[in-house]
Amino acid sequence: MKTSHLFAAANCAAFCIASAAFMTSCSSRIQKEDLCGIWIQPVPGSHIVQGVELNADGSARSVNMATLLYDSWKLEKESLILHGLSIGNGVSGEFSDTLGIVKLTPDSLSLQKGSLVLEYFRSIEDCGFSANPGTVLKGRITFGPEVRKFRPDNEDKDYWVIDKSGYLQERYNESGAAEWSADAELEVRQTDSSASEFGSEYAGTLQVLRIISCGD
């Protein structure tokens, strides 16, 4: 069963992460390696981001999109072709979308299908990007029922975690465990503990700005 799907949600606000390094045009040739990486966009009306990871071997992976599962991609001239599986309302179907590459810089990607132009930004992690840098910490992340905590290395204190991207929650859900833990390297910013119902019970509250790594 073949269906056609747009790359992701439309009408996203354009964020400016400009780079004067290189920009594609009709006279410049796009290389496959220029597209490899994680490309994300904010979901309208929320703090969550979504997008796709394009790997050098031609495989692809969805980021924060449970009903649109990318599995492969290829570059043909000035177009990105994405293949995957759409899941919704109990019906699944394969799709292949062809999107014109309007602009490509080291940090941004503009894709077009018909009259719709979608803006994406390169990320080094699944949760997205942050405009204001925070503090990078390594430690142990733990999620469970009413538990969202992070203990930095060389500390004996736990901090409540706010992850607006939803990525850590997704990892916890995927684990199927009552409590999930993983070593992680995070860029965080300390925030008001009153922002969370349980934050006052911890040494402080950290908002996750970037998930640099998160292993098992």
Side-chain angles (χ1 to χ4, degrees):
M1 175 178 171
K2 298 284 183 180
T3 58
S4 179
H5 288 262
L6 295 180
F7 181 42
N11 301 322
C12 290
F15 284 74
C16 185
I17 307 178
S19 172
F22 71 92
M23 181 179 294
T24 62
S25 67
C26 294
S27 61
S28 63
R29 182 171 177 81
I30 303 170
Q31 301 297 318
K32 183 177 179 180
E33 54 266 28
D34 298 332
L35 286 168
C36 291
I38 299 173
W39 297 98
I40 53 88
Q41 62 177 189
V43 177
S46 78
H47 297 289
I48 297 174
V49 296
Q50 64 183 12
V52 62
E53 181 176 9
L54 306 177
N55 298 310
D57 63 0
S59 63
R61 182 179 67 85
S62 299
V63 176
N64 287 345
M65 289 190 289
T67 61
L68 200 60
L69 306 179
Y70 300 118
D71 55 32
S72 63
W73 71 284
K74 60 182 178 179
L75 173 66
E76 287 192 358
K77 296 183 179 179
E78 304 296 315
S79 294
L80 171 64
I81 300 176
L82 280 165
H83 181 272
L85 182 68
S86 174
I87 303 173
N89 298 322
V91 179
S92 300
E94 292 184 13
F95 68 89
S96 182
D97 271 340
T98 300
L99 301 108
I101 301 172
V102 178
K103 183 184 72 173
L104 175 63
T105 77
D107 296 313
S108 65
L109 172 66
S110 298
L111 300 174
Q112 183 170 16
K113 184 166 185 177
S115 61
L116 179 64
V117 177
L118 302 171
E119 303 290 343
Y120 294 86
F121 303 96
R122 187 185 295 277
S123 176
I124 62 170
E125 78 304 309
D126 288 297
C127 81
F129 61 90
S130 59
N132 300 312
T135 301
V136 175
L137 297 175
K138 292 183 178 181
R140 189 78 176 170
I141 191 79
T142 301
F143 268 50
E146 300 183 353
V147 175
R148 307 286 185 273
K149 67 181 182 180
F150 179 70
R151 175 171 290 193
D153 289 347
N154 303 318
E155 288 195 28
D156 58 1
K157 296 181 293 185
D158 292 325
Y159 294 83
W160 183 260
V161 166
I162 297 175
D163 173 30
K164 293 182 178 180
S165 75
Y167 176 70
L168 294 174
Q169 179 69 43
E170 184 179 11
R171 288 290 304 274
Y172 165 52
N173 294 341
E174 289 175 349
S175 73
E179 187 171 277
W180 168 77
S181 291
D183 292 325
E185 184 175 4
L186 310 175
E187 181 181 345
V188 298
R189 180 184 299 124
Q190 193 138 8
T191 189
D192 185 1
S193 293
S194 64
S196 168
E197 178 183 356
F198 303 100
S200 60
E201 301 175 14
Y202 291 79
T205 298
L206 300 177
Q207 180 181 346
V208 177
L209 304 178
R210 288 194 300 130
I211 302 172
I212 299 170
S213 66
C214 186
D216 296 326

